[in-house]
Amino acid sequence: MKIVVKGVGITPFGELWNEDVPSLTRTATMTALIDAGLELEDIDALVVGNMLLPYVSNQSHVGAAIAEALSYAGPSIAIEAACASGGVAVRQAMALLYSKMAKRVLVVGVEKMTDVSSGEVTGFLMGASSEEERMMGATFPSLYAMMQQRYQVEFGCSEEEIASAAVASHFHGSLNPKAHFQAAITTAQVLSSPLVSDPIHLLSCSPVSDGAAAVILEAVNVPSRDSIVVLGSGQGHDALSLSGRQTLTSMNATKNAMKQALQQSCVSADLINIVELHDCFSIAEIIALEDLGLVARGRGAKFLADGYGRYDSDGVAINTSGGLKACGHPVGATGIKQVVEIVDQLRGRAGKRQVVNALFGLTHNVGGTGATAVVHILGRWK
Amino acid sequence: MKIVVKGVGITPFGELWNEDVPSLTRTATMTALIDAGLELEDIDALVVGNMLLPYVSNQSHVGAAIAEALSYAGPSIAIEAACASGGVAVRQAMALLYSKMAKRVLVVGVEKMTDVSSGEVTGFLMGASSEEERMMGATFPSLYAMMQQRYQVEFGCSEEEIASAAVASHFHGSLNPKAHFQAAITTAQVLSSPLVSDPIHLLSCSPVSDGAAAVILEAVNVPSRDSIVVLGSGQGHDALSLSGRQTLTSMNATKNAMKQALQQSCVSADLINIVELHDCFSIAEIIALEDLGLVARGRGAKFLADGYGRYDSDGVAINTSGGLKACGHPVGATGIKQVVEIVDQLRGRAGKRQVVNALFGLTHNVGGTGATAVVHILGRWK
């Protein structure tokens, strides 16, 4: 049995003052249903990825609430795994399909983050970390700043090189009409933007965004030619607190998730043409490139600084959507948006940022500072 | 392939001032592991049922946080479905097993509700309802009060008869050393207790409790004789708001979940010896008895008033743990505690409240006022 992607849908990401969670959910879902040529009645189960509804809207019972927004009468479940909520939701949908508890599953990720102050949302997001870290007054930029400081020491890497990650993401964002930020930026702009937590600048950080993304997965015996198949998946874990990790410059969760996904998909890393990875901060992108085995250890920043990773450069294309940095990071939607981008690329529907002849794509979604990581490998069926 | 319950564990339920979420989780888990004769390393995945950690402790990333509390290194997922979080978590664990994504799954439900004021927790719990209901100032007692008012009108049933549900639960609670309340009460005491929302009295309501429960499920080809097997499961849904329902005196979600569970298990309702059902309020128990097909429509209160449903009476035994009312209702733990009680009964380990010769048991777990309901049917393998 194989799992195929029947349809995908996405809203623009950004500060969407005229949208709320129900309207975003409906837009992404209806787009995916039309793409799949299906009706809501054809769906056996709904899986929702969301982190912040309890905080922002006092809404728990998230599965039922999103089902109500869609007028969907079937069973729903809600998955929360911090910023990896979307990726874990896709994986849990796969479990429903492989178990034959459902034949077609709608996975929706949604987040409305801009209706509260940035101070509030920073506090809410710290729910993804440990009590120890919250009590120390840490914020996510400060936690990733420690990683970057250590990375620079270990690998003698410059801030300029690390800033290339944000520059590359904004370049791709400038080609994506759904992206939160569609302006290209320069390394100089990154380094002259305000310091949030040394050495992390404002333009090294992904933004607070609103948005939704939806994917419809179906279990089939034999995929038809050129359909997009989820070939493999993995979920890795590590300590919730940075203090419990073996190293600050690598994430075990990512490595383990990648290992599982490669094993299940029988695809080797060098066959992968396009990657959507979790660049919540520039340093996170650098570390992910290395942990996924796409770039040698300590060489991630150099790889981007040398102009690799672009949709039109040699080798693997990285974050053609604009990534979390430029496309935006509506937390629960991110892991599902990654799948949408890979599917659009594999189908040749990615517009100005289209990668030529892509056959295999990979998504990489991280919760917190790396306590959870999920990797999915997708491919065009031949 | 069949799913067997390898081990169960539970903490006392109640106001546990000396316990926190990690300690409760550890106690329930270690008890279940010892019961199963397993080590934490033997577990392939952790599924957590929890609703209130984001509110009470600013803790999201709940799967990773609970994994950390257990020093568990494998993959974790968190399920939130309001008061049905535990029941849905068990079902999602079944999906992981049926899909062969895991061979042994630990399901833990935990909640620490008494560290905040009762006003705060009442507000948090309203997250399980709809925005419409929250904006009207409704509380859960007031929503269930509307159901009870309508039920009394439709079926000419007295408050005394409905109060029998609380009396029966406290009777069983008095036989359960882990129950939050272990004192028997009378109908007169229920009706003279303060009115919370007419006609619901203080003693018609389940309490705010702390506690945890754990179940270890394993996929096997052929269950060994006398092992406890999860034979079937169902998950039903309805509108989130009461205003969207067809009736106030019956829950479609329960009916649909029951139908699916009966179908999957090939067990008929009259074979079931013991039931743990969702008595968050007395009226909820009455309605559940009828929706599960255990008692004729309009006869639920009379059934209990006549003394049926006790562990030692003729026919099916109801809520021998004391139910939510007397055993307590630590929200995320409740659906898992129900499984623990059924397993203990089927194994003949239920002490003073032991039902004689029980072969089939059923759990029924509801989210909110019935937007979600989950039913599991378990049996002793012959």
Side-chain angles (χ1 to χ4, degrees), chain B residues 182-356:
Chain B
Q182 299 179 29
I185 56 170
T186 64
T187 305
Q189 281 175 307
V190 176
L191 297 179
S192 64
S193 69
L195 259 181
V196 176
S197 183
D198 193 9
I200 287 185
H201 293 263
L202 185 63
L203 289 179
S204 322
C205 308
S206 58
V208 165
S209 315
D210 307 324
V215 168
I216 296 168
L217 301 178
E218 184 178 83
V220 300
N221 289 324
V222 183
S224 58
R225 194 180 151 87
D226 282 334
S227 58
I228 309 302
V229 178
V230 186
L231 299 166
S233 166
Q235 184 176 339
H237 283 271
D238 205 341
L240 194 55
S241 302
L242 277 189
S243 62
R245 308 277 173 81
Q246 289 176 306
T247 163
L248 291 180
T249 60
S250 171
M251 289 184 192
N252 271 329
T254 296
K255 287 186 187 173
N256 288 335
M258 182 63 169
K259 197 175 154 190
Q260 294 166 35
L262 288 173
Q263 233 158 23
Q264 196 191 349
S265 62
C266 300
V267 169
S268 64
D270 59 337
L271 284 178
I272 288 162
N273 311 104
I274 39 171
V275 170
E276 284 284 309
L277 58 74
H278 199 90
D279 61 326
C280 48
F281 298 93
S282 296
I283 186 64
E285 172 159 351
I286 312 291
I287 289 175
L289 281 170
E290 301 173 11
D291 287 338
L292 292 169
L294 303 169
V295 179
R297 184 108 166 101
R299 304 288 295 169
K302 189 80 171 53
F303 172 86
L304 295 169
D306 287 347
Y308 290 106
R310 287 167 49 131
Y311 81 98
D312 55 356
S313 60
D314 282 347
V316 61
I318 308 293
N319 285 359
T320 53
S321 70
L324 284 62
K325 174 68 198 84
C327 187
H329 185 24
V331 174
T334 286
I336 297 164
K337 177 220 76 174
Q338 295 177 326
V339 176
V340 175
E341 175 70 12
I342 296 294
V343 170
D344 279 342
Q345 286 284 359
L346 293 176
R347 283 192 181 161
R349 306 191 303 190
K352 288 186 194 167
R353 61 192 190 282
Q354 180 65 50
V355 176
V356 178

Side-chain angles (χ1 to χ4, degrees), chain B residues 68-276:
Chain B
E68 177 133 304
L70 293 172
S71 305
Y72 175 65
S76 60
I77 61 165
I79 297 292
E80 184 280 310
C83 304
S85 299
V88 178
V90 169
R91 198 171 148 79
Q92 220 41 39
M94 292 170 68
L96 289 173
L97 293 168
Y98 282 130
S99 70
K100 300 194 169 41
M101 286 166 72
K103 190 161 157 47
R104 272 197 214 102
V105 180
L106 167 66
V107 196
V108 184
V110 63
E111 214 77 66
K112 187 81 177 77
M113 303 172 69
T114 65
D115 288 349
V116 292
S117 73
S118 55
E120 279 176 292
V121 89
T122 303
F124 297 159
L125 287 169
M126 280 308 287
S129 71
S130 70
E131 190 175 14
E132 171 191 80
E133 289 169 337
R134 286 194 293 277
M135 286 179 72
M136 289 172 60
T139 60
F140 272 102
S142 74
L143 293 168
Y144 276 94
M146 288 194 277
M147 295 189 209
Q148 183 169 336
Q149 287 188 4
R150 183 66 205 162
Y151 187 93
Q152 290 180 206
V153 168
E154 261 182 49
F155 299 109
C157 167
S158 71
E159 287 190 37
E160 284 76 9
E161 286 170 327
I162 291 172
S164 312
V167 174
S169 288
H170 273 256
F171 167 69
H172 283 137
S174 74
L175 305 175
N176 180 0
K178 299 261 172 86
H180 190 156
F181 299 125
Q182 299 179 29
I185 56 170
T186 64
T187 305
Q189 281 175 307
V190 176
L191 297 179
S192 64
S193 69
L195 259 181
V196 176
S197 183
D198 193 9
I200 287 185
H201 293 263
L202 185 63
L203 289 179
S204 322
C205 308
S206 58
V208 165
S209 315
D210 307 324
V215 168
I216 296 168
L217 301 178
E218 184 178 83
V220 300
N221 289 324
V222 183
S224 58
R225 194 180 151 87
D226 282 334
S227 58
I228 309 302
V229 178
V230 186
L231 299 166
S233 166
Q235 184 176 339
H237 283 271
D238 205 341
L240 194 55
S241 302
L242 277 189
S243 62
R245 308 277 173 81
Q246 289 176 306
T247 163
L248 291 180
T249 60
S250 171
M251 289 184 192
N252 271 329
T254 296
K255 287 186 187 173
N256 288 335
M258 182 63 169
K259 197 175 154 190
Q260 294 166 35
L262 288 173
Q263 233 158 23
Q264 196 191 349
S265 62
C266 300
V267 169
S268 64
D270 59 337
L271 284 178
I272 288 162
N273 311 104
I274 39 171
V275 170
E276 284 284 309

Side-chain angles (χ1 to χ4, degrees), chain B residues 351-374:
Chain B
K352 288 186 194 167
R353 61 192 190 282
Q354 180 65 50
V355 176
V356 178
N357 287 331
L359 272 179
F360 296 105
L362 179 147
T363 65
H364 165 255
N365 192 197
V366 171
T369 56
T372 303
V374 189

